[in-house]
Amino acid sequence: MAQGSSQPPPHRVAVIVDEGTNPFEVGVATELFGLPRPELGLAGPLYEVTVCAPAREVRMNHGFFTLTGVPGLEAVDGADTLVVPGRPDNVVPRAEAVLEAIRRTHARGARVVSFCTGTFALAEAGLLDGRRATTHWRWAELFRQLHPKVLLEPDVLFVDEGDLLTASGSAAALDLGLHIWRRDHGAELANAVSRRLVFASHRDGGQRQFVERPVPDVPDESLGPLLAWAQERLGEPLTVADLAARAAVSPATLHRRFRVQLGTTPLGWLTGERVALACRLIERGEERLDVVAARSGLGSAANLRARVRRETGLSPSAYRRRFGPTPGEEVGT
């Protein structure tokens, strides 16, 4: 949806809090979809959030919080999207009432999203057999044992199957949430939300999860200044060698720092930023694909089409119809 165009009613998001739910992931859902965002300059909220639970009192992970005074599971029946956070105990089955709420939400065509080990709940509900999904690497082997019919991808940040979306870990829930913002409302608004979160605006779902690794004796220098420099020059023929020269390190050292700090490669980050810029240019009304490709550094219209479709699932023309300005609308650059 382009800024300034007629707004639809808020997209309704329900978040199920079950016994032992991780509070961080509940916070991610409410932060991403529940807070007012006056910085977007919109007429009203794009999402509204309802937190619900299967009991009047629910103890969250390790008893840090007890949730009371929220609606029961009937609240999921009005949701357009259902979010199912994870919990650390993944051997004990979820309550049947929770599984039934998940099933009926999906059956009527709503979107179902899991964060971290919330994927176990979706699998227990029978939604994931024969479908792609991910979960936290630490519980991947247990997940395979319990749910062998699910096509588990244990190394990625998140998986988008259209109606079913799964994030690998607690922090990856932020990546998936911003991906949902991009999918629903375009790159421009998703970037604005990421800036408020002070979080990386774009990490592709196919990037590998962080895994255990030794902590270096001396921390690597921040990539922040280099990333800011590169973001101002995306339309130029930047290469990984150029980035390494700017950072005054070898390409191998730069590659290692990107892996440690961003979970991706320098080329993967550069391509992702160029695609995000291309999407913003399309949203702002640029119709000439060769111009978008040149200004974003993607080179050719053919490469632009392939990259935008891979990231958004839409062709550039379909992306423009969905997120571009309406006829007669003035959009700032």
Side-chain angles (χ1 to χ4, degrees):
M1 185 198 68
Q3 293 190 47
S5 60
S6 178
Q7 277 189 226
H11 183 99
R12 297 164 297 180
V13 179
V15 183
I16 290 183
V17 177
D18 195 7
E19 192 74 19
T21 290
N22 292 323
F24 177 83
E25 292 154 30
V26 178
V28 168
T30 55
E31 171 74 30
L32 281 167
F33 305 117
L35 295 186
R37 300 203 175 274
E39 71 273 14
L40 300 184
L42 302 174
L46 297 176
Y47 300 95
E48 61 180 25
V49 172
T50 300
V51 177
C52 60
R56 296 183 65 181
E57 291 190 1
V58 175
R59 293 178 72 253
M60 300 180 75
N61 188 6
H62 287 84
F64 289 129
F65 305 98
T66 298
L67 186 69
T68 62
V70 299
L73 293 178
E74 66 278 1
V76 306
D77 296 329
D80 303 303
T81 292
L82 174 63
V83 176
V84 184
R87 71 181 193 191
D89 186 350
N90 298 297
V91 177
V92 177
R94 271 67 176 172
E96 182 57 32
V98 172
L99 299 180
E100 177 54 31
I102 295 171
R103 290 188 195 105
R104 70 174 185 264
T105 301
H106 183 255
R108 62 178 174 78
R111 181 168 59 189
V112 179
V113 177
S114 71
F115 291 163
C116 195
T117 56
T119 311
F120 281 80
L122 271 58
E124 288 174 43
L127 272 57
L128 294 178
D129 287 356
R131 305 287 296 272
R132 297 166 53 246
T134 190
T135 194
H136 195 289
W137 59 267
R138 182 178 175 185
W139 285 281
E141 188 54 40
L142 174 63
F143 186 92
R144 284 198 177 101
Q145 294 172 14
L146 295 176
H147 307 290
K149 295 181 180 179
V150 180
L151 307 179
L152 186 69
E153 298 186 4
D155 292 332
V156 301
L157 291 178
F158 59 83
V159 170
D160 181 349
E161 283 276 280
D163 56 335
L164 297 168
L165 298 89
T166 53
S168 61
S170 295
L174 284 164
D175 293 294
L176 178 53
L178 288 169
H179 171 76
I180 290 171
W181 265 93
R182 283 193 300 273
R183 191 173 116 170
D184 289 352
H185 303 295
E188 193 79 22
L189 295 188
N191 283 353
V193 174
S194 73
R195 285 194 295 272
R196 176 164 170 179
L197 292 171
V198 195
F199 188 74
S201 61
H202 179 273
R203 291 203 299 170
D204 183 82
Q207 291 183 29
R208 293 178 61 86
Q209 295 185 35
F210 289 109
V211 295
E212 290 181 310
R213 58 180 181 270
V215 177
D217 294 332
V218 180
D220 285 333
E221 295 180 2
S222 169
L223 289 170
L226 176 65
L227 302 185
W229 177 83
Q231 285 170 329
E232 295 177 355
R233 296 165 174 80
L234 293 174
E236 300 177 11
L238 288 179
T239 65
V240 174
D242 294 329
L243 296 179
R246 176 69 183 183
V249 298
S250 69
T253 296
L254 187 70
H255 190 281
R256 177 174 56 82
R257 290 185 180 179
F258 266 77
R259 278 296 190 189
V260 170
Q261 296 185 34
L262 299 180
T264 187
T265 64
L267 181 59
W269 176 85
L270 193 58
T271 300
E273 289 297 311
R274 283 171 164 159
V275 172
L277 175 57
C279 289
R280 292 198 299 272
L281 292 171
I282 294 170
E283 290 177 37
R284 294 172 184 177
E286 179 55 67
E287 298 184 356
R288 297 164 295 175
L289 294 189
D290 56 338
V291 174
V292 173
R295 290 181 60 186
S296 63
L298 291 174
S300 67
N303 189 42
L304 169 70
R305 291 188 186 95
R307 294 292 182 177
V308 170
R309 183 177 290 278
R310 179 183 181 276
E311 172 58 27
T312 69
L314 301 170
S315 67
S317 58
Y319 190 91
R320 182 185 302 111
R321 287 193 297 270
R322 182 169 178 182
F323 298 118
T326 55
E329 178 184 359
E330 293 185 3
V331 180
T333 58

